[in-house]
């Protein structure tokens, strides 16, 4: 790759722009991604969150910017369920 | 960075040493079932087994059981909802009165943190399989039979003597809820909101949709919901990472960024109560598969000010259509659990802010200490458009919350126009990119 190789990435501008525009407009019209935001819109009274944190390992020299499988904001993505009392 | 706040949550209860029929390891039998045929039991035991289950909250109104809603002043039955208010108005003597708010009447807003077990209001109880949708009344005015189809309507007028009937008795077909939230948004207001919503989605809208667009055809519908209060604890466990070093290696175009991080085991526990979480209690409306329907549109306009719901009186539904509940508490419980877990995950997010490389939750545990279920009819203005296709087509909704006015909709798109616009913009961007590359080489 030559010194100005980064410039060739600009060639992706067309396809990326076209796809982004299509999906942006499609969602604006069809609103397929909308639903009741019950996490924010429900009256919740929570006691202070308690917890425990302990260092278990170190990672050296990774190129990933986030932890693999980061789901801290994906509230609706269920993970392995430990059986509790379902009431 | 490590800090100890609290011991880790206790492990799940140990598996009991006994197993087999009757143990907690066995699949529980269906509700209201009995292992022996009750007919073979001695009379007193049979009577006990077959007796009705207690209903924790009785919201049925004894004074309305004959299907006639009478004006408390003159006794006339032609009662309607006064638009824009929670008032009922007598069409004969113009007397107005206010329905009783269920929040105060049944103490629904209080004691959520003390809830234990499942408290089910009488209008939210189990639907019996053989309960009919068609109900007939004997008119007390003239003796004629009047039939009401509870699938779509809750009031009817005796065509002989003009008495107005409402379905008020809480029969076990799920049609009569505990409470109703009357429409506040008028039809004209709803039409204006739908027009405004579509106005900003005209350019790529399907031509046939635009040609046939008549928002005046909007219909006021009362949709069935379960309103749930819950008292819950959730434990989540996983791993989080904190960046300790960031550095680059290589030079020029080969320059790459590397990260070092500390990995932590993270446990969190939160106790919380939710107040008035709405869940669709009809199978059709609860199916939110956006590939097959647009019910997510109606889901989006939630929530409603359910605190202002009034005790059920069919007169509020005069002039509107309604849909019948066909889901029981047991059907909706998995959905409730899913939403409670999601709420808990949102609640604990602020407590893991120090993990600047994110957290991967791996396990979650839900303990539902208590829930309270109340069935309600909530007001929605619905405009619908059927987009035909060879695969059966798609029904597009534009919905207006009948209380808050929140509007959401699905406007069908003219695909060729949208693709052409995307390609045009893409080509222009590509042209600029090629020009920049050409100029710099």
């Amino acid at each position: 790759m030559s010194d100005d190789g980064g410039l060739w990435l600009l060639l992706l501008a067309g396809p990326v722009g076209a796809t982004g525009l299509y999906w942006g407009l499609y969602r604006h019209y069809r609103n397929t991604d909308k639903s009741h935001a019950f996490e924010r819109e429900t009256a919740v009274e929570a006691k202070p969150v308690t917890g425990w944190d302990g260092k278990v390992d170190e990672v050296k020299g990774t190129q990933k910017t986030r932890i693999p499988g980061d789901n801290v904001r994906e509230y609706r993505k269920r993970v392995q369920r430990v059986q509790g009392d379902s009431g | 960075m490590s800090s100890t706040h609290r011991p880790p949550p206790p492990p799940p209860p140990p598996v009991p040493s006994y197993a087999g029929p009757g143990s907690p390891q066995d699949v529980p039998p269906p509700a209201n079932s009995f292992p022996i045929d009750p007919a073979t039991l001695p009379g007193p035991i049979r009577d006990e087994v077959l007796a009705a289950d207690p209903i924790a909250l009785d919201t049925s109104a004894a004074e309305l059981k004959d299907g006639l809603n009478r004006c408390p002043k003159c006794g006339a039955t032609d009662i309607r909802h006064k638009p824009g208010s929670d008032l009922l108005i007598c069409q004969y003597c113009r007397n107005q009165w206010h329905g009783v708010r269920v929040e105060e009447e049944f103490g629904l807003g209080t004691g959520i943190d003390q809830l234990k077990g499942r408290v089910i209001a009488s209008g939210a109880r189990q639907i019996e399989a053989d309960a009919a949708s068609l109900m007939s009344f004997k008119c007390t005015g003239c003796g004629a039979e009047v039939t009401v189809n509870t699938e779509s309507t809750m009031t009817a007028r005796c065509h002989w003597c003009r008495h107005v009937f409402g379905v008020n008795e809480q029969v076990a077909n799920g049609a009569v809820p505990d409470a109703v939230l009357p429409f506040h948004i008028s039809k004209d207001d709803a039409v204006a909101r739908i027009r405004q919503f579509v106005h900003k989605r005209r350019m790529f809208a399907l031509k046939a949709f635009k040609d046939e667009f008549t928002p005046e055809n909007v219909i006021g519908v009362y949709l069935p919901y379960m309103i749930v209060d819950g008292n819950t604890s959730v434990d989540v466990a996983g791993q989080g990472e904190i960046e300790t070093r960031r550095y680059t290696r290589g030079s020029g175009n080969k320059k790459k960024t590397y990260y070092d991080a500390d990995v932590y085991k993270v446990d969190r526990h939160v106790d919380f109560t939710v107040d008035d979480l709405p869940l669709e209690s009809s199978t059709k409306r609860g199916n939110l598969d956006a590939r097959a329907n647009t019910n997510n549109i109606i889901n989006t306009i939630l929530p409603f000010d359910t605190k202002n719901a009034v005790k059920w009186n069919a007169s509020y539904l005069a002039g509107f259509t309604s849909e019948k509940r066909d889901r029981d508490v047991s059907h909706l419980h998995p959905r409730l659990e899913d939403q409670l877990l999601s709420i808990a995950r949102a609640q604990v997010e602020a407590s893991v802010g120090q993990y600047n490389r994110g957290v991967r939750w791996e396990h979650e545990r839900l303990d539902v200490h208590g829930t309270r279920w109340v069935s309600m009819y909530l007001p929605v203005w619905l405009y619908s458009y059927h987009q035909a296709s060879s695969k059966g087509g798609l029904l597009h909704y534009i919905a207006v919350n009948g209380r808050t006015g929140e509007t959401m909709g699905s406007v069908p798109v003219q695909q060729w126009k949208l693709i052409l616009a995307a390609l045009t913009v893409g080509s222009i961007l590509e042209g600029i990119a090629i020009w920049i590359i050409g100029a710099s080489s």
Side-chain angles (χ1 to χ4, degrees), chain B residues 168-418:
Chain B
N168 294 309
E169 192 180 352
Q170 287 185 335
V171 286
N173 69 357
V176 177
D178 298 299
V180 57
L181 195 57
F183 273 92
H184 256 200
I185 299 288
S186 68
K187 184 175 179 180
D188 290 344
D189 193 353
V191 168
R193 284 167 198 271
I194 292 169
R195 210 178 275 286
Q196 186 184 357
F197 185 87
V198 172
H199 189 73
K200 58 181 285 189
R201 289 169 180 80
R202 279 178 308 166
M203 196 183 293
F204 301 104
L206 193 70
K207 187 171 181 303
F209 171 83
K210 287 192 282 189
D211 291 346
E212 296 168 25
F213 182 59
T214 38
E216 291 74 18
N217 289 347
V218 68
I219 298 172
V221 192
Y222 280 98
L223 297 178
Y225 289 84
M226 287 278 199
I227 307 300
V228 191
D229 295 337
N231 176 21
T232 311
S233 299
V234 170
D235 291 284
V236 282
Q239 292 199 334
E241 286 186 4
I242 297 175
E243 186 181 309
T244 51
R245 193 169 155 233
R246 180 190 299 217
Y247 47 97
T248 51
R249 282 189 189 143
S251 59
N253 293 321
K254 300 248 167 61
K255 200 155 81 174
K256 291 203 168 78
T257 307
Y258 293 86
Y259 305 90
D260 290 351
D262 287 342
V263 183
Y264 288 81
K265 187 176 183 318
V266 187
D267 288 343
R268 289 291 182 270
H269 173 91
V270 61
D271 298 311
F272 64 96
T273 61
V274 293
D275 191 3
D276 285 5
L277 183 68
L279 298 175
E280 287 89 356
S281 60
S282 97
T283 313
K284 187 176 148 197
R285 299 291 172 211
N287 175 7
L288 302 183
D289 182 355
R291 290 164 302 178
N293 61 57
T294 62
N295 285 329
N296 71 304
I297 297 301
I298 308 173
N299 181 258
T300 308
I301 61 165
L302 293 170
F304 288 76
D305 56 334
T306 41
K307 296 278 166 223
N308 293 318
V310 291
K311 197 169 156 184
W312 170 253
N313 186 325
S315 297
Y316 283 111
L317 271 65
F320 296 103
T321 59
S322 58
E323 288 185 10
K324 196 167 77 65
R325 172 172 77 89
D326 64 358
R327 302 297 273 171
D328 285 326
V329 170
S330 54
H331 296 131
L332 296 174
H333 213 274
R335 182 126 184 271
L336 172 71
E337 290 182 14
D338 187 59
Q339 296 203 356
L340 289 173
L341 282 167
S342 302
I343 289 171
R345 290 263 295 274
Q347 290 292 320
V348 300
E349 189 192 344
S351 74
V352 294
Q354 73 268 36
Y355 296 101
N356 52 13
R357 284 174 52 83
V359 175
R360 177 182 64 244
W361 296 119
E362 293 164 345
H363 300 99
E364 54 193 7
R365 175 194 159 108
L366 171 72
D367 289 285
V368 182
H369 307 303
T371 48
R372 179 163 53 204
W373 300 72
V374 175
S375 72
M376 252 181 225
Y377 271 3
L378 300 181
V380 177
W381 287 106
L382 264 189
Y383 178 76
S384 54
Y385 173 81
H386 186 262
Q387 182 184 11
S389 83
S390 55
K391 292 176 197 158
L394 185 65
L395 192 60
H396 294 267
Y397 287 121
I398 300 173
V400 180
N401 184 314
R403 299 287 294 194
T404 64
E406 184 179 349
T407 307
M408 182 46 66
S410 168
V411 175
V413 292
Q414 191 86 51
Q415 284 290 359
W416 69 263
K417 257 191 189 178
L418 194 52

Side-chain angles (χ1 to χ4, degrees), chain B residues 139 142 144-147 156-165:
Chain B
C139 176
C142 69
E145 285 276 330
V146 180
T147 305
R157 187 187 281 274
C158 173
H159 43 271
W160 297 104
C161 72
R162 314 298 290 164
H163 258 0
V164 177
F165 288 84

Side-chain angles (χ1 to χ4, degrees), chain A residues 1-19 21-22 25-39 41-87, chain B residues 2-3 5-6 12 118 197 200-205 239 241 247 253 256-269 271-275 277 296 299-300 302-303 333 337-339 341-342 345-347 349 352 355-368 394 408-411 413 415 418 422 425-426 429-430 433 437 440:
Chain A
M1 198 179 267
S2 65
D3 276 358
D4 58 359
L7 270 179
W8 293 100
L9 284 174
L10 273 177
L11 287 178
L12 289 174
V16 168
T19 314
L21 182 74
Y22 179 87
L25 281 172
Y26 186 83
R27 286 183 179 185
H28 175 64
Y29 276 67
R30 295 271 286 101
N31 289 302
T32 47
D33 54 338
K34 305 292 188 307
S35 68
H36 174 211
F38 54 86
E39 294 94 342
E41 295 180 337
T42 309
V44 174
E45 274 189 34
K47 290 184 183 159
V49 176
T50 56
W52 177 87
D53 308 69
K55 186 175 166 184
V56 289
D57 201 1
E58 287 180 8
V59 176
K60 297 280 184 201
T62 179
Q63 283 186 267
K64 294 193 170 76
T65 56
R66 305 285 290 176
I67 188 171
D70 178 22
N71 56 8
V72 72
R73 288 188 195 93
E74 292 169 353
Y75 314 133
R76 297 188 186 184
K77 201 170 175 184
R78 296 277 68 84
V79 295
Q80 192 186 345
R81 180 93 174 259
V82 179
Q83 197 54 47
D85 179 8
S86 62
Chain B
S2 165
S3 61
H5 306 295
R6 183 184 168 278
R118 280 185 204 175
F197 185 87
K200 58 181 285 189
R201 289 169 180 80
R202 279 178 308 166
M203 196 183 293
F204 301 104
Q239 292 199 334
E241 286 186 4
Y247 47 97
N253 293 321
K256 291 203 168 78
T257 307
Y258 293 86
Y259 305 90
D260 290 351
D262 287 342
V263 183
Y264 288 81
K265 187 176 183 318
V266 187
D267 288 343
R268 289 291 182 270
H269 173 91
D271 298 311
F272 64 96
T273 61
V274 293
D275 191 3
L277 183 68
N296 71 304
N299 181 258
T300 308
L302 293 170
H333 213 274
E337 290 182 14
D338 187 59
Q339 296 203 356
L341 282 167
S342 302
R345 290 263 295 274
Q347 290 292 320
E349 189 192 344
V352 294
Y355 296 101
N356 52 13
R357 284 174 52 83
V359 175
R360 177 182 64 244
W361 296 119
E362 293 164 345
H363 300 99
E364 54 193 7
R365 175 194 159 108
L366 171 72
D367 289 285
V368 182
L394 185 65
M408 182 46 66
S410 168
V411 175
V413 292
Q415 284 290 359
L418 194 52
V425 171
L429 285 174
E430 196 68 8
I437 292 167
S440 65

Side-chain angles (χ1 to χ4, degrees), chain B residues 60 68 70 72 80 82 140 213 237 309 370 378 384 390 409:
Chain B
S60 59
L68 293 172
R70 293 191 183 275
R80 291 186 84 92
K82 188 181 179 192
T140 49
F213 182 59
L378 300 181
S384 54
S390 55

